[in-house]
Amino acid sequence: MNLAEGVQFVSFGILAATTIAAALGVVLLENIVYSAFLLGGVFISIAGMYLLLNADFVAAAQVLVYVGAINVLILFAIMLVNKTEVFQPMKNAWFRKGATALVCVGLFALLATMVRSTSWAVLDSVAPIESTAIRLGEHFFSDFLLPFELASVLLLISMIGAIVLARREFVPEETDAQREVVFRLPERPREPVGAIGESSSASENS
Amino acid sequence: MESGIDLQGSLIDLLTNFGLPSEVAKVVWMPLPMLLMLVVATVGVLVAVWLERKISAAAQQRIGPEYAGPLGSLQPVADGLKLLFKEDIIPNRADPWLFTIGPALVVIPVFLSYLIVPFGQNLVITDLGIGAFLWIALSSITPIGLLMSGYSSNNKYALLGGLRAAAQSISYEIPLALSVLAIVMMSNSLSTIDIVEQQSGYGILSWNVWRQPVGFIIFWVAALAETERLPFDLPEAEEELVAGYQTEYAGMKFALFYLGSYVNLVLSALLFAVFYLGGWSFPVPVEAIAGWLGLSEMSPWVQVVTASLGITMVLLKTYLLVFLAILLRWTVPRVRIDQLLNLGWKFLLPVSLANLLITAGLKLAFPVAFGG
């Protein structure tokens, strides 16, 4: 084992350990803010995995998109609505946790058998790609054109949806009427003079 | 590239001549440029802090620091030593873990970005194929550290400052990335070395400033916003938020924030010089000067002079930009948060998209001038 292989082996071990530990922390910790920060750790260690696989552009894109955008937005949302309210312990919570654990173990077993039954032999003669960005661009505009364009259309749809949701406050008309009621001065409602006379006579009659 | 001084090769040759195996020699070499770059970044910050104090004083008709060292040039060192020896205070109700990790998360990505800053043809730690993209990706980690320190301080001003910092950073990352993308499109490469090489044909005339007049203004505005310099220093606006996310910090942790902001400023200025001002190239091409004087480019002392001229040019351009940033600090009033977000999303984003489109069109129409 020469120097480069040793470095690669050790960094793979460290990255795998941090990925698993941080992912377990995301799921098991009670505090949602810790979970969100640890999610960033998971994303960064997966970016390190990509680096070990010679995919430098994908690693940087992983950091930019998942850590820099998605994780920051998750944290942002958590902190904007962060109410320190104590949730009441649910009855039969153990059943939920047990079912979740069962599903997770089943999924893990399925994936593990898949990993075991696939042959992962990689040719050593495959040279690492010099400029990954150029190769990725070639693939995007030749054999992966349709998935690439579909993904962009999907993002456009979600963006328009977000804009429609965010601009919803301008649509309803009745809020203006309510606002008038709220800001009216606290005085007796005006009535015509004749109506006052009628009401007073009515009260005399009664 | 064979041209230029190959420090790595000569050191490894020297060590193997002493009888070390070549692998061990490489391991001995590896930390040297990294350590050198750390020292360069730190000294650069000290110079930037001294400049900030002196220029701010001049802008306000004061004298500024003058007792520590000649012209007060040791004042930043004294500041740093003071912060180093102060007590490390963690507020009682704060979250100690997040409170400690936050400043580190702010500083580490900034220092990592120095990996791609070139001072010469071979004077760079690594010539990565994804250089410019790596910088943008790394700078997007910083808001997590800001949110972390803002949240863990258990202080409403700190939380507001952290949220503002994250919103500002997300908003201005996109125009920044789009203006860098226009440069990358013209250079056909993300590597910082290639970007400088592509600008080196005709001296000052071939610098990207002339070909990207809109892009370089967008880049400068967005870089100022990313580094939280004064027209955009809302996250720590002292009149509204005490000091934003730094409110509860003291001692070395505060020093990390302070260091991080100035390292980020110097880094942005360095990359501005690389992307738009021709990096290490002299206004007149050095090869042409050597040709007029009848000197061979490959002779050793010409190489040394060229390399030192390159480093001088990079630092000169960088500190010119730092000077501009400091002058802007005392010239422009702070914007409001809604003005800041409007400027980012409704003005800079469409303009930078249009700039990208026009650059692509010009590249197709005039491949000679726009790097076909």
Side-chain angles (χ1 to χ4, degrees):
Chain A
M1 185 185 285
N2 62 8
L3 181 72
E5 280 177 2
V7 169
Q8 202 164 0
F9 184 74
V10 170
S11 15
F12 176 76
I14 293 172
L15 284 173
T18 47
T19 310
I20 292 172
L24 283 178
V26 171
V27 182
L28 297 179
L29 281 182
E30 293 283 327
N31 191 340
I32 191 172
V33 178
Y34 287 165
S35 296
F37 282 124
L38 280 175
L39 190 64
V42 175
F43 288 146
I44 287 197
S45 25
I46 289 176
M49 293 277 189
Y50 288 141
L51 269 189
L52 283 185
L53 295 170
N54 283 323
D56 51 356
F57 190 84
V58 180
Q62 162 94 8
V63 171
L64 179 65
V65 175
Y66 282 93
V67 182
I70 292 181
N71 200 26
V72 169
L73 282 181
I74 290 174
L75 282 168
F76 209 74
I78 289 174
M79 285 180 188
L80 280 182
V81 295
N82 191 17
K83 291 179 189 165
T84 52
E85 74 184 69
V86 183
F87 293 104
Q88 292 180 349
M90 280 195 312
K91 272 184 267 179
N92 295 332
W94 62 269
F95 178 72
R96 275 193 172 196
K97 286 179 182 166
T100 316
L102 205 66
V103 170
C104 290
V105 168
L107 200 61
F108 181 76
L110 200 68
L111 288 173
T113 47
M114 187 273 288
V115 168
R116 294 279 295 170
S117 60
T118 313
S119 68
W120 295 98
V122 179
L123 289 176
D124 282 338
S125 59
V126 178
I129 301 165
E130 272 298 312
S131 56
T132 48
I134 292 174
R135 189 65 73 85
L136 272 176
E138 281 169 359
H139 278 298
F140 272 151
F141 285 97
S142 56
D143 45 351
F144 285 97
L145 183 62
L146 187 65
F148 179 61
E149 294 295 332
L150 279 181
S152 64
V153 169
L154 185 72
L155 286 179
L156 182 69
I157 292 170
S158 59
M159 196 169 75
I160 292 174
I163 290 171
V164 168
L165 284 181
R167 291 181 67 91
R168 205 173 39 179
E169 55 189 341
F170 294 109
V171 177
E173 290 287 323
E174 63 269 17
T175 50
D176 292 342
Q178 284 174 356
R179 190 172 291 166
E180 271 184 5
V181 172
V182 168
F183 289 115
R184 182 175 284 178
L185 283 174
E187 61 182 1
R188 227 181 53 172
R190 283 182 201 160
E191 292 168 3
V193 182
I196 296 174
E198 280 177 16
S199 65
S200 60
S201 62
S203 62
E204 279 171 12
N205 290 342
S206 63
Chain B
M1 280 300 231
E2 264 67 57
S3 68
I5 310 158
D6 189 6
L7 289 175
Q8 180 179 10
S10 20
L11 186 94
I12 289 174
D13 280 350
L14 187 73
L15 287 178
T16 41
N17 287 344
F18 279 127
L20 282 174
S22 67
E23 286 214 334
V24 179
K26 269 184 197 163
V27 173
V28 171
W29 161 260
M30 253 189 263
L32 293 181
M34 303 183 199
L35 278 179
L36 184 67
M37 204 49 113
L38 272 181
V39 172
V40 165
T42 315
V43 173
V45 166
L46 294 182
V47 175
V49 171
W50 178 73
L51 276 178
E52 171 115 278
R53 287 177 152 238
K54 272 305 204 189
I55 295 168
S56 304
Q60 298 174 335
Q61 306 197 339
R62 293 183 284 119
I63 296 175
E66 65 168 346
Y67 290 114
L71 288 175
S73 55
L74 292 180
Q75 188 64 45
V77 182
D79 287 353
L81 280 178
K82 182 199 79 173
L83 286 172
L84 201 61
F85 287 116
K86 275 178 94 169
E87 186 190 355
D88 180 32
I89 299 169
I90 296 179
N92 203 10
R93 302 285 301 277
D95 190 319
W97 279 97
L98 295 184
F99 193 78
T100 312
I101 299 171
L105 263 187
V106 174
V107 171
I108 290 171
V110 184
F111 272 102
L112 265 185
S113 307
Y114 270 82
L115 273 178
I116 57 149
V117 176
F119 288 91
Q121 181 70 53
N122 287 326
L123 295 171
V124 58
I125 296 184
T126 50
D127 178 18
L128 285 177
I130 53 161
F133 190 57
L134 182 78
W135 172 55
I136 290 170
L138 282 176
S139 71
S140 73
I141 300 181
T142 322
I144 289 194
L146 299 180
L147 276 175
M148 197 182 267
S149 44
Y151 170 79
S152 65
S153 299
N154 200 5
N155 175 326
K156 53 178 172 279
Y157 297 117
L159 183 60
L160 276 175
L163 287 176
R164 276 189 182 185
Q168 174 172 340
S169 167
I170 290 177
S171 317
Y172 280 80
E173 215 161 71
I174 302 167
L176 189 75
L178 285 175
S179 56
V180 173
L181 194 59
I183 295 287
V184 167
M185 200 191 266
M186 291 200 313
S187 329
N188 297 318
S189 170
L190 284 160
S191 147
T192 43
I193 301 272
D194 289 350
I195 289 174
V196 175
E197 284 286 302
Q198 184 261 344
Q199 304 175 53
S200 63
Y202 304 98
I204 193 170
L205 292 178
S206 59
W207 290 356
N208 274 334
V209 184
W210 314 118
R211 288 183 282 184
Q212 286 286 325
V214 181
F216 105 97
I217 293 172
I218 295 171
F219 184 93
W220 186 236
V221 172
L224 282 182
E226 288 276 312
T227 52
E228 291 160 14
R229 292 293 302 178
L230 195 92
F232 309 108
D233 76 332
L234 296 136
E236 52 212 83
E238 55 279 2
E239 292 89 350
E240 316 158 26
L241 292 182
V242 190
Y245 52 83
Q246 306 172 352
T247 306
E248 297 287 351
Y249 282 89
M252 203 50 215
K253 287 175 190 150
F254 172 76
L256 280 183
F257 278 127
Y258 195 72
L259 183 73
S261 76
Y262 278 99
V263 175
N264 208 352
L265 175 68
V266 175
L267 177 75
S268 297
L270 274 169
L271 285 169
F272 189 94
V274 165
F275 289 150
Y276 292 96
L277 301 179
W280 62 83
S281 50
F282 196 63
V284 183
V286 181
E287 293 80 15
I289 297 177
W292 294 333
L293 296 177
L295 298 168
S296 162
E297 254 185 75
M298 296 309 290
S299 63
W301 70 273
V302 174
Q303 292 275 344
V304 170
V305 169
T306 314
S308 40
L309 190 68
I311 296 174
T312 318
M313 285 316 292
V314 173
L315 292 180
L316 201 67
K317 289 165 187 171
T318 304
Y319 280 101
L320 190 73
L321 292 165
V322 171
F323 171 74
L324 201 67
I326 297 169
L327 213 57
L328 275 175
R329 172 180 176 168
W330 297 107
T331 316
V332 191
R334 179 184 300 133
V335 296
R336 280 198 322 260
I337 184 81
D338 59 324
Q339 292 171 333
L340 175 95
L341 295 179
N342 277 347
L343 177 72
W345 288 105
K346 294 185 183 165
F347 183 73
L348 287 183
L349 180 61
V351 169
S352 57
L353 271 175
N355 180 46
L356 189 65
L357 192 69
I358 292 170
T359 310
L362 286 174
K363 182 178 156 112
L364 285 180
F366 307 103
V368 183
F370 288 88

